Amino acid sequence: MKLRLFLPVLVAGALALINVTGASAQTIKVGHSDNQAHPKHEAFVHFARLVDEKSQGRLKVEIYPSGQLGDERELLESLQTGAMHLTSVSNGVMSAFAPQFMLLDIPFSFSDSESARRALDGAQDILFTDLDRIGLHGLSIWEQGFRQVSSAKKGISASADVQGLKLRTMEAPLHVEAWRAMGANPTPMSWGQVYSSLQTGIIDGQENPLYVVTQEKLFEVQKFVSLTNHIYDAMPVIASESWWSSLSDDDRKLITDAMAEATSFQRGLVDAAVEKARTDLAELGVEVTETPADQIAVLKAQAQPPVISRIRDTLGDAPVDAWLAVIAE
């Protein structure tokens, strides 16, 4: 008799526990296009750990790296439909969805990472404005570090060294515009063609964050690297607006706080990767040149006007002037 009375109570208690656990567990679906060794993936893993801790296991982050859920354009489209919750994409792809991100492609905007980070953290209202109209919500700006120039010929110690340089660029019109204005011969090219094109001399050089030269073994065909800091390579972290608006105020704060910590972590990873790459390049016999500030000023004067003019044509004067004011500060 006692056992028969006890069993329904036991079963009811177990079912209640299952129902509570099932009802409270929420999954945050994250997708990105980079591999698991990339600072972006490591930062999302850190973010997942923080969310789990802060929510005491109530929120769980599932991460799908290496383009498992699609390329960067498809990932943003998945956010718009609510099929996915979070991603981080290259700025060029983001600009195709929200033209204000073109502002980050103004060359020579920053001389160092600290000033770039302060500007971006303090001006996200310019970059993230109106994203909700296209089903997106901005959370943070991650990065890959500054883009630098590698070459098979010589380092850039004077602005004249850029003249005629056959330089691979991303397939980004503003980047092409900038390098053409500086006198280079920019060649937009998909990444898969770059190594062989450098090897055969179709192009003289390429531009990318410093650690790409070591990770992709470009040092085998590039013996000169110039620290030009011409573009701060941003990777916006974007959420689905429909998902974001469905969250409670407490959960939004929890995720915002976790993202702020993950952003600091991500930037630290990039700093470490850049520093290691610089040391490794020296050991590999690559000549690393710091392009002098006065020569950077010459290149800036050549590159900025046509790029800014093109952005004004797209965005109008107000956002461009607001962004330039942020940079000036």
Side-chain angles (χ1 to χ4, degrees), residues 32-104:
H32 68 82
S33 63
D34 293 286
N35 63 43
Q36 294 181 51
H38 196 279
K40 179 190 293 183
H41 181 77
E42 293 186 57
F44 271 130
V45 170
H46 188 66
F47 171 74
R49 188 180 304 115
L50 290 168
V51 168
D52 182 66
E53 291 172 357
K54 291 176 183 293
S55 70
Q56 297 182 327
R58 184 173 53 82
L59 300 176
K60 296 291 185 182
V61 177
E62 292 182 355
I63 307 169
Y64 299 85
S66 305
Q68 292 179 39
L69 301 182
D71 61 25
E72 291 191 332
R73 175 175 288 275
E74 291 168 333
L75 293 173
L76 287 172
E77 290 170 348
S78 293
L79 295 185
Q80 290 177 312
T81 64
M84 198 179 71
H85 303 134
L86 276 175
T87 191
S88 175
V89 298
S90 60
N91 191 64
V93 173
M94 192 64 209
S95 297
F97 285 75
Q100 64 267 29
F101 282 87
M102 294 168 67
L103 295 166
L104 298 183

Side-chain angles (χ1 to χ4, degrees), residues 244-261:
W244 183 256
S245 61
S246 73
L247 296 173
S248 67
D249 289 343
D250 287 344
D251 280 349
R252 288 182 195 173
K253 184 179 186 307
L254 184 153
I255 290 167
T256 299
D257 291 347
M259 182 55 65
E261 292 183 48

Side-chain angles (χ1 to χ4, degrees), residues 66-310:
S66 305
Q68 292 179 39
L69 301 182
D71 61 25
E72 291 191 332
R73 175 175 288 275
E74 291 168 333
L75 293 173
L76 287 172
E77 290 170 348
S78 293
L79 295 185
Q80 290 177 312
T81 64
M84 198 179 71
H85 303 134
L86 276 175
T87 191
S88 175
V89 298
S90 60
N91 191 64
V93 173
M94 192 64 209
S95 297
F97 285 75
Q100 64 267 29
F101 282 87
M102 294 168 67
L103 295 166
L104 298 183
D105 282 335
I106 297 175
F108 303 105
S109 290
F110 307 105
S111 59
D112 56 71
S113 297
E114 289 73 19
S115 59
R117 292 164 181 172
R118 282 197 305 270
L120 290 175
D121 291 344
Q124 291 183 2
D125 55 330
I126 298 173
L127 297 171
F128 293 160
T129 185
D130 293 334
L131 286 183
D132 59 322
R133 295 184 183 182
I134 57 171
L136 302 174
H137 177 82
L139 280 180
S140 188
I141 302 288
W142 289 357
E143 65 175 73
Q144 297 197 99
F146 278 101
R147 298 181 78 86
Q148 318 289 7
V149 178
S150 72
S151 172
K153 290 189 171 182
K154 60 181 177 179
I156 300 173
S157 56
S159 60
D161 294 330
V162 176
Q163 299 300 309
L165 182 67
K166 294 183 292 184
L167 186 71
R168 179 267 176 181
T169 69
M170 292 192 299
E171 296 169 289
L174 292 180
H175 289 214
V176 174
E177 183 104 38
W179 284 109
R180 186 173 290 127
M182 287 184 273
N185 181 12
T187 304
M189 182 183 294
S190 64
W191 183 249
Q193 299 173 277
V194 171
Y195 187 95
S196 61
S197 296
L198 292 170
Q199 194 173 36
T200 57
I202 293 174
I203 51 176
D204 301 320
Q206 61 84 51
E207 48 86 45
N208 248 309
L210 200 60
Y211 49 85
V212 173
V213 180
T214 54
Q215 290 179 354
E216 300 294 331
K217 299 188 183 302
L218 299 185
F219 57 82
E220 295 174 347
V221 289
Q222 302 275 272
K223 294 304 178 185
F224 302 91
V225 168
S226 302
L227 304 181
T228 54
N229 284 6
H230 55 276
I231 289 286
Y232 171 84
D233 205 1
M235 299 187 301
V237 182
I238 306 297
S240 163
E241 170 59 26
S242 60
W243 168 71
W244 183 256
S245 61
S246 73
L247 296 173
S248 67
D249 289 343
D250 287 344
D251 280 349
R252 288 182 195 173
K253 184 179 186 307
L254 184 153
I255 290 167
T256 299
D257 291 347
M259 182 55 65
E261 292 183 48
T263 296
S264 295
F265 179 80
Q266 196 272 339
R267 291 171 177 176
L269 291 175
V270 169
D271 287 342
V274 168
E275 190 60 34
K276 183 178 187 304
R278 190 164 181 173
T279 300
D280 291 346
L281 288 172
E283 294 176 353
L284 291 164
V286 175
E287 183 179 308
V288 179
T289 300
E290 289 203 34
T291 306
D294 63 328
Q295 297 305 301
I296 292 293
V298 173
L299 294 171
K300 178 178 178 178
Q302 295 170 336
Q304 278 197 357
V307 171
I308 292 174
S309 176
R310 191 161 175 173

